[in-house]
Amino acid sequence: MPQADGILTSLAGRLAAQYVRMSTDYQQYSTENQKLAIAEFAAIQGISIIATYEDAGKSGVTLKGRPALLQLLQDAQAPTHAFSLVLVYDVSRWGRFQDTDESAHYEYLCRQAGVQVVYCAEIFSYDGGAVATLMKTLKRAMAGEYSRELSRKVFIGQYRLAERGFWQGAAPGYGLQRILVDSDGNVKGPLHHREQKCIQTDRVIVIPGDEREVALVRRMYDWYVSQRVGCKRIADRLNAFGMCNANGRPWRAQNITGILSGEKYVGTNVYARTSKKLNANWHKNPPAEWARSEGAFPPLVDRVMFDAAERIRANRTQNLSDDEILKRLSDFVHSADVVSTEEIDKARTLPSGKTYSLRFGGIRNAYALIGYEPTYHIVGPEVFRASRAAQRECMGKTISALTGLGHRVDISADETTIRVDDELVIRFAVRPILYYDRHRPRWGVRWPTYSSPDLLVILRLDSAFKTPIDFYIFPRGSLVPGYDFSLSIRSGSSEPFEMFRFPDERILLELTARTRMEAFDGSQSPHSNRRHPDSPDSGT
């Protein structure tokens, strides 16, 4: 531990904040052990720790996803920051940034605001001298290299396991089921949605899932190969029967294409079609770099049927050049009233929207190549994540309030719908700003065609995609199913929907409350004897 002359005097009596972080490193880097080491350092130096910033289970490769460090940087740069030191266990806990300048930049922001970052377990001094600066730069490079090397080792390990037939991933897809086995191959049980193995030596295999889903997959292949029914028509057919995909959502043509082109349905385990190293972007790998294991698990369809489907798909798109499918897209966007991926999938003269994404790296890139600029905002991943977060927060508040009042609440598999007391079905949807009409923001609303809830809750997000502006509670029958409506930000401009507009979700508590009913002769209804726990005049 550093003991340079003058350092003890300069640190003694100063107030400090401690920053600790743990991702999936060894136990010696647990946040509690870091705190103990920092506390020992602070006691020796005479430093008082007044604040703790902790990122537990967070990667140090990037600043993204580390709320504690972000808050620390904001507090350190505040005009009235309460501490003048930041104590960190070592350089790697500050971050394993792939660019050493990024790590130095965040430390510089603190130093510029008068806050010094001190690494308690490092052997170099913290006086800002040339030797300390050189050692710190070397440590930053070593921390970044550790992450790169670890990422490479993890990828190679997963690649080898995939070659042996073990599943590497989360959801296997419609009609398939993940099974957990031990190191000897003994079955331990199924893995359900979002469940993960917790023992390192355990492995995951895939087997055929629900019999009804397996039968439907085989029916899709039969429709496509024997009856020459296209993917869009198959999706429409399934939605017309009220069937949902593996995520509990309506079928789309892309979902059908994924099933008809997935080799996992003939028992072949394929891994590393795409890869992503650390915080880099996803990229496609050539087929020669894929990990393949044929016969890894029981097939849902035979190879003859699968190959027939492949030939049909190849004849539709593979023989068309990039220039040809771009020309078709250009003709489409100049003649169509509505341009969207959904409309592209419907057009018989065009390949699917997924084909454009695969060939050109995204539908927006294809639009740019033909000189077309969409007149609406395309929802990016950051908007999707913000929308999901707002939806979960609203549902969480509603569920907590309803259960607190004694109601029973069940949540759907896709986590968008709740059922209250096995009677009232409420679906939640978030609508960010998608397009502008004469510079006035609007939000699109559509009643779901594949389900019929009793209440549809629409949360409108602001332009920053963070704060809900208001809530619309639409009862069944108030919107025509499948028809797009538009809501404006101006009060009174969205008639006749203003009667369904509310400031927050508390209105749902009133709509779900039971009330006493009386017969026409004034006698009490036989079903009104259940009472609300907080109200003597209403039922539960």
Side-chain angles (χ1 to χ4, degrees), residues 110-123:
C110 295
R111 186 167 64 250
Q112 192 179 37
V115 177
Q116 182 182 1
V117 178
V118 176
Y119 301 105
C120 305
E122 299 291 5
I123 61 173

Side-chain angles (χ1 to χ4, degrees), residues 234-250:
I234 292 177
D236 291 340
R237 185 175 294 182
L238 297 177
N239 292 332
F241 283 103
M243 298 180 178
C244 298
N245 61 22
N247 298 320
R249 297 181 179 276

